[in-house]
Amino acid sequence: GAGVSQSPSNKVTEKGKDVELRCDPISGHTALYWYRQSLGQGLEFLIYFQGNSAPDKSGLPSDRFSAERTGGSVSTLTIQRTQQEDSAVYLCASSPGRRGNTIYFGEGSWLTVV
Amino acid sequence: GNSVTQMEGPVTLSEEAFLTINCTYTATGYPSLFWYVQYPGEGLQLLLKATKADDKGSNKGFEATYRKETTSFHLEKGSVQVSDSAVYFCALTVGGSQGNLIFGKGTKLSVKP
């Protein structure tokens, strides 16, 4: 598509359940990023993919969080045993992956854990 | 470590007023600097960027100059419009790619007619 597409746009889940968030990057973009935006915390970097590998996972907040990317395209962010503090907007972004390229963001997946 | 500090909002201005949103940074190496904007109900968009000292980024009437001596990248616009109402984020990245953007906490701007 024309931009970064994320789904679902909104998700309400019960505490303790697992959730999966999906990101479709811009076609041809080799770099893919996940960020989290929450009140009081601003925008936090979670993980970065170059192709299917993740050279930087430094931002994942706990081992309940994982992400994968297949075929150098779609990525899934999985949160296991969700907690209320996981409530946030999860933003995906992509770029052509070369220095100086612009990073394009999706509109985010709003996650609410009740 | 690397960090970005920007002025806290909200900032409320009248149309045609002058805007400054301050941003300072701490970084190892030579960062690239960015301003992103998030309009209501929309995703983050790159507003402007500067990749080396003394560069000036500009777009849509907004400007910011990369000042290495003061480690600053303040956003300015001479005459704001109601349509500029949004949240503005200063960000940096270091290293050879544009990965791992580090953001400030954002400044909400409201422009009144």
Side-chain angles (χ1 to χ4, degrees):
Chain A
V4 178
S5 178
Q6 293 187 243
S7 62
S9 54
N10 283 284
K11 175 74 175 178
V12 179
T13 190
E14 291 181 353
K15 179 181 172 182
K17 302 276 189 181
D18 298 351
V19 296
E20 285 189 352
L21 307 175
R22 176 189 168 104
C23 173
D24 270 289
I26 293 172
S27 178
H29 280 191
T30 60
L32 186 147
Y33 314 83
W34 283 99
Y35 288 81
R36 179 169 70 174
Q37 185 176 21
S38 52
L39 285 174
Q41 296 297 321
L43 278 153
E44 301 171 80
F45 167 78
L46 297 179
I47 188 169
Y48 157 59
F49 287 92
Q50 182 62 39
N52 291 335
S53 64
D56 190 348
K57 304 180 183 179
S58 62
L60 293 176
S62 75
D63 59 7
R64 297 187 295 106
F65 288 72
S66 62
E68 64 175 14
R69 189 180 186 194
T70 56
S73 181
V74 171
S75 176
T76 303
L77 177 69
T78 301
I79 309 172
Q80 296 178 307
R81 305 181 303 280
T82 52
Q83 303 295 312
Q84 288 185 330
E85 61 263 29
D86 300 334
S87 297
V89 180
Y90 290 83
L91 294 169
C92 179
S94 71
S95 83
R98 293 179 294 280
R99 179 178 170 80
N101 288 146
T102 296
I103 296 177
Y104 297 89
F105 282 81
E107 294 191 6
S109 291
W110 290 72
L111 174 66
T112 303
V113 182
V114 297
Chain B
N2 302 315
S3 65
V4 175
T5 302
Q6 62 182 104
M7 64 187 287
E8 294 190 17
V11 174
T12 303
L13 296 173
S14 298
E15 207 165 21
E16 299 183 2
F18 184 86
L19 168 72
T20 301
I21 301 178
N22 289 338
C23 172
T24 57
Y25 66 89
T26 302
T28 56
Y30 301 96
S32 295
L33 303 173
F34 308 84
W35 278 99
Y36 277 80
V37 59
Q38 190 172 33
Y39 297 103
E42 298 185 17
L44 277 168
Q45 304 172 25
L46 178 67
L47 180 61
L48 52 84
K49 68 180 182 182
T51 57
K52 63 182 187 295
D54 299 324
D55 271 2
K56 177 185 284 188
S58 61
N59 186 25
K60 299 182 180 180
F62 291 88
E63 291 184 339
T65 301
Y66 187 143
R67 301 284 188 201
K68 187 177 177 183
E69 63 276 14
T70 54
T71 62
S72 65
F73 193 56
H74 304 321
L75 182 68
E76 296 182 336
K77 187 174 184 180
S79 176
V80 294
Q81 305 300 311
V82 172
S83 57
D84 294 326
S85 298
V87 182
Y88 293 82
F89 293 89
C90 186
L92 68 81
T93 187
V94 294
S97 73
Q98 210 159 325
N100 197 1
L101 278 168
I102 296 168
F103 286 90
K105 291 189 180 294
T107 303
K108 183 175 181 179
L109 170 66
S110 296
V111 181
K112 307 297 184 187

